[in-house]
């Protein structure tokens, strides 16, 4: 989808300094030349969380931001630490189980627009974080609704799916690991131990990781206080928590997604929670829901996203 989105939106960047000194970028989408409903101060906010190494520069994120504008939402992209062109300010990145930064982002949004409901749309890891927030907050959740796209549910089964076979290990896990290592390389000055930092990470060892599992074992798990990879993956997996969700929740997944194997999806949890809807397509891979005879631009997940955003506006009204 690169280069297909019309040149119709621009992003206004807000840098948010977090309570521990870290920094993230919030990119607020605006239409360049109209063509969408004029936003009011109380218009709803669409909070977009990209995939594991995604940011507002990615075409699929820009398409989602445009979907929000079309449906009368104020779209904002939350770029995780170390992404979106913002260097790390502290020796800490992000992970699927930690939602501290997300909570600070939502607090900032509410300070700007206190009367605006927030609908979260998360892709892959972004969907996992939103789901974590939903089931932890329960009835006190400050999100009006959530849509999770290609969201892994059980990281142990995801690990097996993308790493047990040599092809998957190299193509899926290896690719993601290489992108994660790029974040480390860009931020060696803050992550590598030195007299100027209090980092305790062996950056050279981390950069030798060939899979996501190796990367998480060497950096992510210890960075966030987990005693082991198993401890981290248990905390990050949401498959046993669907019953705790107390807000409208739509999950889109594909039966052939290697990162979300079908046997990891909590079908029973969705069946028993009337606030949740699970949409499973036969094809689509990992957020690759193309449609039409010549699928070169718009994705079916965007059509579904617009329908959901529209429904949530009517639900509120």
């Amino acid at each position: 989808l690169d280069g297909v989105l019309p040149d119709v939106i621009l992003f206004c960047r807000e840098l948010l300094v977090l309570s521990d000194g870290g920094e993230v970028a919030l990119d607020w989408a605006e239409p360049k030349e109209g063509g969408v409903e004029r936003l009011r101060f109380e218009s709803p906010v669409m909070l977009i969380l990209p995939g594991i190494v995604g940011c507002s520069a990615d075409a699929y994120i820009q398409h989602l931001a445009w979907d929000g504008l079309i449906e009368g939402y104020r779209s904002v992209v939350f770029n995780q630490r170390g992404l979106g062109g913002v260097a790390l300010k502290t020796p800490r990145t992000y992970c699927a189980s930690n939602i501290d930064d997300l909570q600070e982002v939502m607090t900032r949004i509410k300070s700007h627009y206190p009367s605006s409901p927030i609908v979260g749309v998360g892709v892959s890891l972004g969907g996992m974080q939103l789901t974590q927030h939903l089931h932890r907050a329960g009835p006190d959740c400050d999100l009006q609704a959530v849509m999770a796209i290609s969201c892994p549910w059980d990281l142990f089964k995801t690990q097996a799916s993308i790493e047990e076979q040599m092809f998957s290990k190299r193509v899926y896990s290896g690719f993601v690991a290489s992108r994660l290592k790029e974040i480390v390389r860009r931020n060696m000055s803050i992550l590598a131990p030195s007299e100027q930092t209090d980092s305790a990470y062996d950056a050279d060892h981390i950069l030798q990781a060939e899979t996501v599992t190796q990367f998480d074992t060497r950096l992510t798990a210890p960075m966030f206080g987990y005693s082991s990879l198993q401890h981290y993956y248990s905390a990050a997996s949401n498959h046993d928590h669907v019953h705790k969700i107390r807000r409208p929740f739509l999950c889109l997944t594909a039966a052939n997604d290697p990162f979300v194997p079908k046997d990891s999806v909590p079908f029973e949890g969705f069946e028993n929670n009337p606030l949740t809807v699970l949409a499973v397509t036969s094809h689509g891979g990992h957020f690759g829901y193309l449609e039409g005879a010549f699928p070169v631009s718009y994705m079916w997940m965007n059509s579904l996203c617009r329908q959901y955003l529209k429904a949530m506006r009517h639900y509120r009204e």
Side-chain angles (χ1 to χ4, degrees):
L1 294 179
D2 289 341
V4 175
L5 182 69
D7 189 20
V8 293
I9 64 172
L10 57 82
F11 286 107
C12 295
R13 172 154 291 188
E14 175 185 6
L15 292 176
L16 173 61
V17 178
L18 302 164
S19 57
D20 70 343
E23 189 174 74
V24 296
L26 302 180
D27 287 337
W28 296 87
E30 295 183 1
K32 281 190 174 181
E33 298 179 357
V36 300
E37 174 184 334
R38 184 177 179 84
L39 296 176
R40 299 168 295 172
F41 182 75
E42 66 275 12
S43 292
V45 174
M46 175 187 181
L47 173 59
I48 304 169
L49 276 67
I52 188 168
V53 289
C55 67
S56 60
D58 294 329
Y60 76 96
I61 294 299
Q62 294 179 11
H63 276 263
L64 288 171
W66 180 244
D67 293 335
L69 292 174
I70 287 290
E71 296 301 331
Y73 285 72
R74 184 172 277 107
S75 301
V76 58
V77 181
F78 166 28
N79 298 282
Q80 304 274 3
R81 299 189 192 212
L83 295 175
V86 179
L88 292 179
K89 300 300 187 294
T90 62
R92 169 172 160 152
T93 55
Y94 55 91
C95 76
S97 63
N98 188 283
I99 57 173
D100 294 345
D101 293 355
L102 172 60
Q103 291 172 328
E104 291 197 47
V105 165
M106 289 193 293
T107 297
R108 173 58 64 92
I109 292 173
K110 287 307 254 182
S111 72
H112 291 324
Y113 304 104
S115 59
S116 297
I118 304 173
V119 173
V121 176
V123 180
S124 194
L125 180 135
M128 295 180 70
Q129 290 181 328
L130 288 171
T131 306
Q132 286 271 333
H133 178 73
L134 279 176
H135 79 68
R136 292 189 199 179
D140 299 321
C141 181
D142 44 11
L143 290 167
Q144 182 202 13
V146 163
M147 178 178 181
I149 301 168
S150 300
C151 169
W153 288 96
D154 184 333
L155 286 186
F156 294 103
K157 292 184 177 180
T158 294
Q159 174 192 17
S161 176
I162 65 173
E163 294 188 3
E164 284 189 351
Q165 301 297 323
M166 184 58 66
F167 175 83
S168 298
K169 187 174 183 179
R170 290 183 176 178
V171 175
Y172 300 129
S173 185
F175 173 75
V176 174
S178 68
R179 295 290 302 279
L180 290 168
K181 289 189 292 184
E182 288 178 12
I183 301 173
V184 175
R185 288 191 184 94
R186 291 196 301 266
N187 295 276
M188 286 288 282
S189 61
I190 195 73
L191 288 174
S194 70
E195 295 179 358
Q196 287 74 40
T197 72
D198 58 358
S199 174
Y201 310 114
D202 186 342
D204 291 334
H205 188 49
I206 295 166
L207 292 177
Q208 294 172 12
E210 297 181 350
T211 64
V212 175
T213 295
Q214 291 176 356
F215 184 90
D216 285 341
T217 299
R218 299 172 188 183
L219 181 65
T220 313
M223 176 177 283
F224 288 91
Y226 294 107
S227 59
S228 64
L229 178 75
Q230 290 70 29
H231 186 195
Y232 166 46
Y233 280 5
S234 294
S237 296
N238 294 311
H239 60 288
D240 288 333
H241 303 295
V242 179
H243 67 284
K244 301 176 185 176
I245 294 174
R246 292 294 177 266
R247 290 291 183 273
F249 178 69
L250 170 63
C251 176
L252 172 62
T253 191
N256 68 339
D257 186 342
F259 291 89
V260 192
K262 193 173 180 180
D263 66 349
S264 72
V265 180
F267 289 93
E268 184 176 349
F270 280 94
E271 291 173 357
N272 294 329
N273 188 337
L275 288 172
T276 66
V277 173
L278 173 65
V280 183
T281 61
S282 59
H283 296 85
H286 200 55
F287 61 93
Y289 302 94
L290 303 178
E291 66 175 346
F294 301 98
V296 295
S297 59
Y298 207 62
M299 290 200 287
W300 182 75
M301 76 177 191
N302 295 97
S303 300
L304 186 62
C305 180
R306 287 190 185 182
Q307 292 178 41
Y308 189 62
L309 293 174
K310 188 189 298 292
M312 289 304 100
R313 288 194 69 178
H314 291 316
Y315 175 80
R316 179 191 177 216
E317 296 168 359

